[in-house]
Amino acid sequence: MKIGDAKDYFALVEDSAESGDKLSLSDIEDGLALVANSLPLYLGERSRYTSVILQRFVYTSEDRCSTKACFLALSIVKAFGRLIDSASDELVTEKAIHELLQFALSLIKAASDNENQSSGTSSSRSQGNDLSDGMDACNEALTCVANAMLLQPASREYAGKSQGFEALTEILGMLSDADATTAFLCGRCLLFSLISEEAAKHCVEKLGLQSVLARVISMLVDNSRDNADSSNRFTPNQATAELLKAAMSLCVYFQRGIHGSQIPAQSDMRDDSLPPENAVDFAELLSVVLKLLRVLEPSSGHLADSAKQAVSIALNFPTLHPDPIKAIWFPPNDRWINVDCIVELFKSTIGHIFSKASLASSSSASETTQTDSTRNSALLCASEAYQNELTPLTLVLVRLMTEHQDARLRVFHQVYPPNVEIDYTLLPEDRPGLASQVVRLMRVPQGGMLQGAMGDFLLTVLGQDIKQFIMAVGYGNAAGFMLARGIEMPKDALDYAKGVVSENDQMVDPVTGRNLNQTDIDKELAGMTDEEKEREAERLFVLFERLNKTGIIKTTNPVRAAAESGRFKELSDSPSKDGGEESD
């Protein structure tokens, strides 16, 4: 095609084929530049043009006359590749994926060699441009692969068949601290292609990919505060998050293969963490993710994307053994640095949930018109926004407390400060402090995973003592959680609870968790309509029936007993003459 008086690259290739003359450097660069600047004109025959570039630049080195030419050619292929609509496209074939990754590797090697040669000498401007073009061309090749894997998932398995993992691992191993874009693209390709236990095992045992990822992530974290390099398409934080996603896939598929192929010696210790003998292989990665949690500050109350991924990865590790892993969780020179960091993130996230919920409920209703329904609705919305980051944090703390008694006691004193008396005149969910916030999150209707995680957290903080748990949260709050978890209620739990007194020597109501005060009860009942009383009685009736049926408790349903004794009377559905509801 001619554009004005000039011929584009594809026209020059056709002329060259007819004449047998080799294209010059200027012909190739200028011809490719014409195409790159007029891409819409070539979309109709993009498959043919893609094939030409792949043949002359990727499969062979026929037109690899300069890094600039390679960059232009690959940028054209990248643009065409965004329109892939069929598995028959050449760009998504095993050959194309393999050759593009090898081409990317050769480009970064050449760039690295040029950088080494120019170090210590006054490099020319052209050398600097070649280095930049070489890295840009490598990134374009990686982008072509990532787009192909995104648009045609069937191509994702080719990385494992054509030494793609080897190429990506080697590229990552050659990166400097300024190559955030290359790191991001490698992470994206790995995330797409780590899709099987076999692939993960190969990458861990043969390539040591987990250690390479750890070193690059650490390098990016150290430079995450310097985002001024506008030449990078992605920031260090974005690259870190993408590499952590790939690391998470590596951990998950590797441990899935391990758990699926062997039975631990102590079956009761089996969980979803890496077995101790394999966890050591990932020690460097664990060290980096814990470091990341310590240095990355939350933004607007939310964990950074990198921190979210780091927490999920940390959840894959045991904390008690082997010794090298335990030493990372509990460094000898600062034993509590990681535990305290995770607790602070936990507290901060919960604090932001309640701040957001309070703001939402106050904006929808005045202080005097707010109802429990309004507040619960606001809390549900706020907790949903934080659920995917708070739940993993909570589970990490649960594992630490379960496996380390001293860690549990340390967290216990954060939840129940030793110098703060519990106000038993208030319900557990209405008291000030972290414990009451956790109880409220336990009560959130349709709270999903977070609701159960909050219950697990408090039960673990209290040393798995069911009786103490009931007293801390109230029987009504504990019952739903225990039913969901299949935990049986101790037969003497209520008797134990009835014998507990608060600091002011008043009996504590085991159902609500606050002082038994008949005056308060009378006031509360006086403020309820007959219909509200009936609905509350029905709710309690259904709850006790469910608990008896499932075996959580075995006791007389007090609502049934009251109804049978004649203390409750049903209300009529028909209105009375004065417009109210008729009662018997």
Side-chain angles (χ1 to χ4, degrees):
M1 182 184 295
K2 291 185 67 175
I3 300 177
D5 295 331
K7 288 186 176 182
D8 67 13
Y9 171 73
F10 301 113
L12 292 170
V13 168
E14 291 177 359
D15 291 347
S16 173
E18 292 177 2
S19 66
D21 296 333
K22 191 171 182 179
L23 295 177
S24 66
L25 170 61
S26 60
D27 283 341
I28 294 172
E29 290 184 349
D30 293 344
L32 287 168
L34 282 173
V35 177
N37 292 327
S38 308
L39 281 173
L41 300 177
Y42 298 87
L43 297 181
E45 295 186 74
R46 61 181 179 79
S47 296
R48 179 168 70 88
Y49 295 140
T50 297
S51 183
V52 171
I53 293 178
L54 289 176
Q55 183 61 42
R56 298 176 72 89
F57 278 91
V58 181
Y59 303 157
T60 70
S61 59
E62 186 172 356
D63 286 346
R64 295 184 194 178
C65 55
S66 69
T67 53
K68 178 181 178 181
C70 292
F71 167 71
L72 288 169
L74 289 167
S75 66
I76 293 168
V77 173
K78 177 187 74 173
F80 291 157
R82 291 185 178 129
L83 301 175
I84 293 172
D85 57 6
S86 170
S88 63
D89 275 81
E90 185 174 0
L91 202 52
V92 299
T93 62
E94 182 175 352
K95 180 180 180 180
I97 298 294
H98 168 72
E99 296 294 346
L100 281 166
L101 288 174
Q102 295 304 316
F103 191 15
L105 178 57
S106 68
L107 286 164
I108 196 171
K109 283 182 175 179
S112 179
D113 290 343
N114 289 338
E115 186 176 22
N116 291 334
Q117 290 173 8
S118 63
S119 62
T121 64
S122 56
S123 59
S124 67
R125 184 174 180 180
S126 63
Q127 284 177 312
N129 289 337
D130 285 345
L131 179 61
S132 176
D133 286 342
M135 290 303 301
D136 288 343
C138 171
N139 292 338
E140 296 293 70
L142 291 171
T143 303
C144 289
V145 174
N147 287 342
M149 291 180 173
L150 173 65
L151 297 173
Q152 287 296 324
S155 65
R156 297 176 184 180
E157 63 184 41
Y158 297 148
K161 293 180 178 180
S162 306
Q163 294 190 312
F165 290 127
E166 284 79 356
L168 290 167
T169 303
E170 192 169 353
I171 291 171
L172 283 171
M174 299 177 68
L175 293 185
S176 68
D177 57 7
D179 299 318
T181 295
T182 310
F184 178 94
L185 292 168
C186 285
R188 176 62 58 89
C189 291
L190 285 169
L191 177 63
F192 283 150
S193 52
L194 282 167
I195 54 176
S196 69
E197 292 88 344
E198 293 77 15
K201 183 178 181 181
H202 174 74
C203 289
V204 170
E205 297 180 352
K206 302 295 183 183
L207 305 178
L209 176 59
Q210 71 280 8
S211 297
V212 176
L213 287 170
R215 287 192 288 271
V216 178
I217 291 169
S218 180
M219 183 170 57
L220 290 166
V221 170
D222 290 339
N223 292 276
S224 61
R225 296 189 180 95
D226 182 14
N227 295 331
D229 185 3
S230 59
S231 65
N232 266 315
R233 287 155 50 190
F234 300 98
T235 66
N237 281 334
Q238 290 173 315
T240 299
E242 201 67 16
L243 290 173
L244 284 167
K245 292 176 187 176
M248 181 65 184
S249 291
L250 186 68
C251 290
V252 168
Y253 280 109
F254 182 74
Q255 70 188 34
R256 185 179 295 176
I258 295 297
H259 286 314
S261 62
Q262 69 181 45
I263 299 176
Q266 292 180 315
S267 58
D268 59 327
M269 292 295 291
R270 182 172 181 174
D271 55 25
D272 58 352
S273 65
L274 289 161
E277 61 272 20
N278 301 106
V280 176
D281 295 332
F282 290 80
E284 196 172 352
L285 181 61
L286 174 62
S287 180
V288 169
V289 300
L290 292 178
K291 167 188 171 183
L292 189 150
L293 289 176
R294 296 194 300 268
V295 301
L296 285 186
E297 296 288 338
S299 175
S300 301
H302 285 279
L303 298 180
D305 288 343
S306 298
K308 294 176 188 176
Q309 296 298 328
V311 173
S312 296
I313 291 174
L315 193 54
N316 288 282
F317 287 86
T319 68
L320 186 59
H321 51 270
D323 289 340
I325 294 297
K326 182 179 178 181
I328 294 172
W329 281 106
F330 301 93
N333 59 334
D334 194 350
R335 177 172 175 76
W336 299 113
I337 185 171
N338 292 313
V339 174
D340 289 347
C341 167
I342 296 171
V343 170
E344 285 305 312
L345 290 174
F346 175 82
K347 291 165 62 178
S348 172
T349 305
I350 288 180
H352 280 285
I353 288 176
F354 280 89
S355 295
K356 185 174 181 179
S358 176
L359 183 63
S361 61
S362 61
S363 64
S364 63
S366 66
E367 188 71 27
T368 56
T369 60
Q370 287 183 30
T371 63
D372 286 342
S373 177
T374 303
R375 286 187 285 267
N376 287 338
S377 178
L379 184 57
L380 173 60
C381 292
S383 62
E384 285 179 341
Y386 288 84
Q387 177 173 250
N388 290 337
E389 52 199 276
L390 181 55
T391 301
L393 268 176
T394 306
L395 296 179
V396 170
L397 283 175
V398 167
R399 173 165 288 168
L400 285 164
M401 291 188 291
T402 300
E403 297 182 348
H404 302 273
Q405 176 69 6
D406 52 354
R408 184 187 71 80
L409 292 175
R410 191 172 183 87
V411 178
F412 178 89
H413 290 135
Q414 291 283 331
V415 180
Y416 298 102
N419 298 324
V420 178
E421 290 188 359
I422 298 176
D423 185 357
Y424 282 98
T425 64
L426 299 174
L427 294 170
E429 61 268 26
D430 293 335
R431 298 166 189 159
L434 178 61
S436 68
Q437 291 178 326
V438 175
V439 174
R440 284 189 64 189
L441 290 173
M442 274 182 63
R443 290 166 44 88
V444 173
Q446 301 174 345
M449 296 182 298
L450 183 59
Q451 188 180 27
M454 291 297 103
D456 291 331
F457 173 79
L458 278 182
L459 184 58
T460 306
V461 164
L462 296 167
Q464 302 296 326
D465 189 321
I466 300 297
K467 297 176 183 177
Q468 289 292 339
F469 177 70
I470 294 171
M471 286 306 307
V473 305
Y475 182 88
N477 294 326
F481 166 77
M482 295 174 66
L483 178 64
R485 287 289 188 263
I487 301 173
E488 186 174 353
M489 182 74 69
K491 294 180 179 179
D492 59 343
L494 289 177
D495 292 336
Y496 167 83
K498 290 175 182 176
V500 174
V501 295
S502 62
E503 286 86 344
N504 57 8
D505 294 329
Q506 283 190 289
M507 296 290 291
V508 177
D509 184 349
V511 174
T512 64
R514 68 176 178 182
N515 285 343
L516 282 169
N517 188 315
Q518 189 60 45
T519 302
D520 290 341
I521 295 172
D522 292 340
K523 286 181 180 179
E524 188 171 340
L525 289 173
M528 297 174 67
T529 66
D530 289 341
E531 292 82 0
E532 289 173 335
K533 293 175 184 177
E534 184 177 29
R535 282 196 297 270
E536 182 65 14
E538 289 175 350
R539 186 186 69 81
L540 292 173
F541 180 87
V542 171
L543 174 62
F544 272 92
E545 288 297 296
R546 286 179 62 194
L547 292 173
N548 270 307
K549 186 175 181 180
T550 56
I552 298 295
I553 62 168
K554 291 294 182 183
T555 186
T556 302
N557 186 329
V559 184
R560 181 191 294 276
E564 291 175 349
S565 67
R567 290 163 56 197
F568 284 178
K569 296 182 180 180
E570 287 197 26
L571 299 177
S572 170
D573 289 333
S574 59
S576 61
K577 294 179 181 179
D578 59 4
E581 292 275 331
E582 237 176 50
S583 59
D584 291 337

